[in-house]
Amino acid sequence: MEKSSADVSNRIRAIIVEQLGVDPAHAVDDASLVDDLGADFLEVAQIVMMIQDEFNIELSDDVAKTVITVGDAIYVVSSKTRANRSRGKMGQ
């Protein structure tokens, strides 16, 4: 079952809102997890782990370090799931 980009976005926002206890209206694409939403280093790491579990993907440490904003999280997951789908189709 392919996930739409809106579904990916909604699921990531739900993880961030749940983990940080912030108002969903504040979880906009350009909101910084640390500066705008008040996350600390450990909370950001937990969000990345929750995202990996939710989408059954693995993000390298280098990629995880690029997750600064809500939009960054959406982008890396969308890119990773798109790449996985492409590889799956090519291997069939």
Side-chain angles (χ1 to χ4, degrees):
M1 174 184 192
E2 252 181 62
K3 302 294 180 203
S4 72
S5 59
D7 184 46
V8 168
S9 175
N10 290 336
R11 289 165 61 194
I12 290 172
R13 289 178 205 284
I15 289 169
I16 292 168
V17 166
E18 176 188 331
Q19 181 64 26
L20 300 179
V22 297
D23 184 329
H26 294 143
V28 296
D29 284 358
D30 63 349
S32 165
L33 297 174
V34 174
D35 296 333
D36 298 322
L37 302 180
D40 61 26
F41 173 78
L42 293 176
E43 288 170 320
V44 173
Q46 182 66 27
I47 288 167
V48 169
M49 288 189 294
M50 292 172 76
I51 288 170
Q52 291 178 113
D53 289 345
E54 176 73 16
F55 292 93
N56 195 29
I57 59 173
E58 188 160 330
L59 302 175
S60 70
D61 289 342
D62 288 339
V63 171
K65 289 176 187 174
T66 68
V67 177
I68 307 298
T69 66
V70 174
D72 293 338
I74 293 166
Y75 175 79
V76 297
V77 170
S78 296
S79 297
K80 184 77 169 181
T81 56
R82 216 175 10 255
N84 287 348
R85 282 195 305 268
S86 294
R87 260 192 301 262
K89 288 177 185 174
M90 290 171 54
Q92 291 178 356

